[in-house]
DNA sequence: CGCATGAGATGATGGCCATCATAGCGAACG
DNA sequence: CGTTCGCTATGATGGCCATCATCTCATGCG
């Protein structure tokens, strides 16, 4: 059938968005192309009309997730404390599918193909830059400050550990100590 | 053939050790049972004589890796600074297969089956305890101090990010700023 | 009003996987 | 010195995967 003008772009976006959530939830190897397409309301056949291969979708999903975190956690916050409050929160720990892609999938990044690795490097760098921006608003810097790097490392590590320890009280403490500025 | 007394135990240990490295390198879903057995010098058939199923091996490999990090990085170090120097080092970043399992596979932990999750929780808790021990040697504590939690989070996050950024200079800086005590 | 178009569906291919049943063989034990 | 035991190999099973060739058919265009 002949579809309306921007139909294909809209469908592609929906695939990327759904994939972004599904991958953060189940891991990069945790969801098959048929499953991803079904989540977007399609069958697996049309996949290669939208993407060169699986990695192209994964890379795009990583970039989508990075933008989502930027918009949801950082642009919304008016101070670093506010951003840290959102990032280092129980809802974030409990909902990796809607959370930071670096914390959810970062450890898998270095093992991926070059295009996916590039997407991850971009996401990591973006996270550092967002922290830097909240740390010293307005001021533009050629490279992130030591403090921005340290805060970012603490944030990511605290979320990874809080998800891992399987001990709610300890998880809360991990988030709380990482919130100090 | 009838094998020498402790043959089976030795083979099992070799499988666990090899699996521990292979999994840290390629991810939890990145190595098949046939591949794991071949690394141990065997064929896939005997696997189920040693392990109930794949997850049992994964859980054991996680515990093995955690012990290895404890012995290699922490027991060897005589101060927290020394331990941080080893953990937050380029060799560690460049060799995940011989490094901390929390940094290499932690993000995959929450998605695993219950036995594997338990192994990861144990590994994470163990890492925190090792930090605590170096932080206040000798003193026994019922629960880790705030500072131990913060240092551990910073360590893990810094290694994850350093592996991700694909920028050697930035990676070095991430390690350096996390080394501050 | 009918036809060309192209997004999406159907279905096939070849490969790899976890798991298991069974067979073989060689050292240890009698 | 023969028998037995049990560790490991061989091979099968059923399932799922990424990728691709081909078909369908509704719709926008002429």
């Amino acid at each position: 059938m002949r579809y309306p003008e921007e139909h294909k772009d809209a469908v592609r976006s929906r695939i990327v968005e759904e994939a972004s959530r599904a991958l953060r939830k189940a891991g990069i190897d945790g969801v098959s192309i048929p499953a991803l397409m079904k989540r977007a309301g399609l069958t697996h056949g049309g996949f290669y009309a939208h993407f060169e291969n699986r990695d192209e979708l994964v890379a795009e999903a990583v970039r989508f997730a990075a933008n989502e975190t930027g918009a949801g956690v950082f642009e919304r916050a008016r101070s670093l404390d506010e951003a840290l409050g959102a990032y280092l929160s129980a809802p974030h720990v409990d909902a990796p599918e809607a959370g930071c892609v670096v914390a959810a999938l970062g450890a898998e990044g270095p093992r991926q193909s070059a295009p996916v690795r590039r997407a991850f490097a971009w996401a990591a760098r973006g996270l550092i830059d967002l922290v830097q921006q909240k740390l010293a608003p307005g001021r533009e810097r050629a490279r992130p400050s030591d403090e921005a790097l340290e805060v970012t490392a603490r944030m990511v590590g605290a979320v990874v550990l809080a998800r891992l320890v399987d001990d709610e009280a300890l998880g809360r403490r991990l988030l709380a100590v990482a919130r100090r500025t």
Side-chain angles (χ1 to χ4, degrees), chain A:
Chain A
M1 49 177 155
R2 201 134 183 180
Y3 284 79
E5 192 60 27
E6 311 140 346
H7 180 82
K8 194 171 180 180
D9 285 354
V11 169
R12 184 189 161 101
S13 299
R14 206 171 67 235
I15 298 172
V16 170
E17 184 175 338
E18 287 294 333
S20 169
R21 281 179 218 302
L23 291 173
R24 276 178 280 177
K25 181 176 202 139
I28 290 183
D29 299 329
V31 203
S32 68
I33 288 175
L36 288 171
M37 292 297 275
K38 185 177 281 183
R39 283 178 68 107
L42 302 172
T43 58
H44 65 278
F47 181 82
Y48 291 89
H50 291 283
F51 305 94
E52 187 71 27
N53 50 45
R54 194 181 192 277
D55 278 346
E56 188 181 320
L57 170 59
V58 173
E60 205 145 327
V62 167
R63 285 189 290 264
F64 176 91
N67 282 328
E68 199 185 49
T69 301
V73 172
F74 284 87
E75 285 172 20
R76 181 164 308 175
R78 274 167 314 173
S79 67
L80 182 63
D81 274 352
E82 244 182 75
L84 287 182
Y87 195 99
L88 295 164
S89 70
H92 185 196
V93 168
D94 293 338
E97 72 274 13
C100 175
V101 69
V102 173
L105 302 178
E108 303 182 50
R111 299 191 284 269
Q112 305 299 316
S113 69
V116 177
R117 281 207 312 275
R118 271 196 298 276
F120 271 112
W122 182 84
R125 184 57 204 256
L127 185 62
I128 293 169
D129 287 345
L130 288 168
V131 170
Q132 175 69 65
Q133 218 173 76
K134 289 295 168 202
L135 205 55
R139 208 174 334 159
E140 288 298 323
R141 298 177 120 271
R143 55 176 222 173
S145 67
D146 284 359
E147 198 179 355
L149 296 179
E150 197 223 303
V151 170
T152 311
R154 228 192 300 149
M155 282 166 49
V156 171
V159 169
V160 169
L161 282 168
R163 287 188 178 140
L164 215 52
V165 289
D166 225 15
D167 172 336
E168 210 190 323
L170 188 55
R172 268 200 309 270
R173 290 188 59 213
L174 275 160
L175 299 179
V177 295
R179 222 175 281 136
R180 298 184 341 181
T181 37

